[in-house]
Amino acid sequence: MKYLKNPLGMTLIEVLVAIALFAIAAIPLLGIFHESVITNADSKIKTKEATIAQSIAEDIKAGNTNVSNWNIPSDYYLIEDPNQSKVDMGNGVTEYKISIGKLQSGTDPFVLYAIAPSAEITGYTPPNFYSDNGDYDDIINRLNDIVTLVIVITWTALFSLFVVLPKLGLGGIITVVDNIIDSWNKNIRALKDLATNAAKSVNLNIPWWLKWW
């Protein structure tokens, strides 16, 4: 069997092409992964909301009608005062609407209707909607950074290979890559801004097919 070997290793063009092909293939997969993680996170929130609502319903049925005694985690909240939405069913029985949400999660609240002996719910205070959203935001932000990074790498590889290399050679590519890294380290995440800065650093125009914004 004959093997093709290059003792000099891979050329710059081969590396750029490999990066571009890998990134292009990875973008749709990352999109699917991104949606999957968000869906999974939302599902966990819904499960937690349902557990909290069921616990509140059991408290009301047991006569524990003081909201401050209910087991509601600090990052979840009771959307409305149960007294405002309760419905008298007659014979000393009331239907309570229990709406539970997670602070700044962007998901619809979980609603549970519970039938319990009529009572006045006390101790309700409106939620603080400016509380930190914790792990949920961290997950989404990290995923967004990963997807953005792959897109930026893809754009950089294509711009370097088809625009910079033919006109400026290796030196131009190094300038572009350094500029992209410097902008990224300055927390610039918008592709348009990153690309514009990179193109200006080598005095080249961005072709229409690389304007992905």
Side-chain angles (χ1 to χ4, degrees):
M1 182 179 293
K2 186 177 181 180
Y3 295 93
L4 296 177
K5 293 185 178 180
N6 183 354
L8 299 178
M10 298 181 67
T11 65
L12 175 62
I13 293 179
E14 290 172 334
V15 172
L16 290 174
V17 169
I19 292 174
L21 291 177
F22 171 78
I24 291 172
I27 287 175
L29 295 178
L30 278 175
I32 295 173
F33 176 70
H34 182 269
E35 291 298 325
S36 175
V37 171
I38 292 177
T39 300
N40 185 52
D42 289 346
S43 177
K44 288 182 178 179
I45 290 174
K46 286 300 177 189
T47 300
K48 183 66 174 179
E49 289 173 347
T51 301
I52 296 170
Q54 186 61 46
S55 174
I56 291 174
E58 295 300 325
D59 281 335
I60 295 175
K61 291 177 182 179
N64 179 10
T65 57
N66 191 322
V67 176
S68 61
N69 293 330
W70 295 348
N71 185 21
I72 304 177
S74 59
D75 52 342
Y76 288 81
Y77 62 96
L78 187 62
I79 292 180
E80 59 182 334
D81 186 346
N83 290 313
Q84 296 180 354
S85 55
K86 66 183 181 181
V87 177
D88 186 2
M89 307 295 289
N91 297 321
V93 176
T94 296
E95 179 186 72
Y96 296 90
K97 178 182 177 182
I98 304 170
S99 301
I100 299 295
K102 181 173 173 59
L103 292 170
Q104 300 179 354
S105 67
T107 61
D108 293 330
F110 180 85
V111 178
L112 175 68
Y113 291 91
I115 305 297
S118 299
E120 185 72 15
I121 306 299
T122 61
Y124 175 79
T125 55
N128 176 14
F129 290 101
Y130 297 97
S131 296
D132 182 22
N133 194 30
D135 294 339
Y136 184 87
D137 280 344
D138 289 340
I139 292 173
I140 301 304
N141 289 336
R142 288 179 183 274
L143 280 174
N144 287 336
D145 280 346
I146 292 173
V147 173
T148 301
L149 181 59
V150 171
I151 293 174
V152 169
I153 291 174
T154 304
W155 185 93
T156 303
L158 294 175
F159 183 69
S160 298
L161 180 62
F162 294 104
V163 180
V164 180
L165 184 62
K167 296 180 179 180
L168 302 176
L170 179 60
I173 292 178
I174 293 175
T175 300
V176 167
V177 172
D178 284 344
N179 185 273
I180 291 288
I181 293 174
D182 182 62
S183 296
W184 185 271
N185 289 335
K186 292 178 180 177
N187 289 323
I188 298 176
R189 295 294 184 266
L191 178 60
K192 182 177 181 179
D193 295 335
L194 290 166
T196 300
N197 291 340
K200 286 181 178 179
S201 70
V202 289
N203 295 318
L204 293 176
N205 294 323
I206 302 173
W208 63 267
W209 55 275
L210 279 176
K211 293 182 178 179
W212 299 348
W213 48 84

